[in-house]
Amino acid sequence: MTSLQIVGRRSSHFTRIARLFAEELGVSYEIAPIYDMTAQDAAIYANNPALKLPILRVGDDVVFGTENICRALADRAQKSTAVVWPEQLRSNVSRNAQELVWHCMNSQVQIVFGTVVCKLPGDNLYFDKARLGFAGALAWLDAHVSEALHALPAARQLSLFEASLFCMIEHLHFRKTLPVEQYSNLEAFRQSYATRLSAQRTAYEFDVPPGG
Ligand SMILES: N[C@@H](CCC(=O)N[C@@H](CS)C(=O)NCC(=O)O)C(=O)O
């Protein structure tokens, strides 16, 4: 069988969703770390022209985007797992919740890449507005997480919503851009999801380059 590579970073929340799916689905993979997110050569990003990570490499084939990668992993899984995908979310609250999780993840990238990696001034309106929208989305998720979880099919083993929510909240503990402790419902969800083996096997860490 062709080996699978997740090209990404162990410190990245998008990469962690893909890793978590691979673990849950029992799909073997290896991580090919991208050490430098400032690299501007698409070859570093497994030829993703958007210069974004993660990318799934399967032989000569590549898959761009976390959700696509999760679907490709599910296609290759040997065992059957009941997965809930975003198009199966039926209520507005579940759909809004998924949208806001993606929003939070993108805001985190914007703030970390802008202020930490590129050292841009964090007090610029560009980041002020990002933090405000991020905090607003977190407060909304905290108020609606219980309803959104109850709206998921009870027989599921895995859902992109829960995996992305978990990776997003945990990343706020790892890369502290905004306070997260006050969102008690999100914290309770995080603690419960953290008991999964897949969560424990994919803990955030910084990849260290060979000899680095
Ligand atoms: N839509 C992409 C977003 C991925 C993304 O934003 N990844 C971050 C790392 S967590 C990244 O590539 N950051 C580098 C940059 O924004 O230049 C996906 O679903 O995979």
Side-chain angles (χ1 to χ4, degrees):
M1 184 189 241
T2 318
S3 68
L4 297 190
Q5 266 190 345
I6 295 177
V7 182
R9 292 163 69 86
R10 290 181 178 84
S11 55
S12 140
H13 49 3
F14 282 108
T15 305
R16 189 171 185 186
I17 299 173
R19 295 176 66 202
L20 202 137
F21 258 67
E23 298 283 346
E24 290 277 347
L25 295 163
V27 176
S28 311
Y29 67 99
E30 61 175 41
I31 292 260
I34 293 176
Y35 296 107
D36 178 8
M37 272 198 305
T38 65
Q40 297 182 45
D41 178 355
I44 304 284
Y45 303 84
N47 292 329
N48 181 353
L51 311 181
K52 286 282 194 175
L53 60 100
I55 307 95
L56 179 69
R57 190 152 45 201
V58 188
D60 291 336
D61 211 5
V62 285
V63 180
F64 308 140
T66 303
E67 188 172 328
N68 282 339
I69 293 171
C70 292
R71 290 178 196 274
L73 290 169
D75 288 347
R76 298 181 71 86
Q78 301 289 312
K79 62 171 189 170
S80 133
T81 304
V83 184
V84 177
W85 299 105
E87 64 273 19
Q88 291 164 263
L89 302 177
R90 285 282 159 254
S91 64
N92 285 338
V93 73
S94 313
R95 291 170 174 170
N96 287 343
Q98 180 68 74
E99 169 61 21
L100 291 179
V101 172
W102 293 139
H103 176 77
C104 290
M105 293 183 69
N106 287 320
S107 300
Q108 179 82 335
V109 172
Q110 182 183 349
I111 295 166
V112 171
F113 193 67
T115 64
V116 180
V117 180
C118 300
K119 314 236 176 307
L120 291 168
D123 59 357
N124 189 284
L125 171 64
Y126 183 64
F127 298 113
D128 274 344
K129 185 168 181 229
R131 275 188 295 267
L132 199 60
F134 194 169
L138 285 171
W140 189 98
L141 283 166
D142 192 53
H144 294 88
V145 66
S146 169
E147 201 184 337
L149 291 172
H150 277 106
L152 292 172
R156 74 192 179 279
Q157 290 165 283
L158 183 61
S159 71
L160 192 56
F161 172 63
E162 289 162 291
S164 56
L165 181 63
F166 172 73
C167 294
M168 184 274 286
I169 305 165
E170 277 250 313
H171 202 261
L172 275 166
H173 289 264
F174 179 68
R175 290 274 215 179
K176 297 179 190 303
T177 53
L178 284 187
V180 70
E181 292 73 18
Q182 70 263 41
Y183 305 116
S184 55
N185 298 322
L186 295 182
E187 185 55 20
F189 166 78
R190 179 183 79 88
Q191 284 180 16
S192 144
Y193 205 88
T195 59
R196 290 189 177 219
L197 192 57
S198 59
Q200 287 158 15
R201 289 171 57 93
T202 57
Y204 289 120
E205 60 180 294
F206 287 109
D207 295 296
V208 180

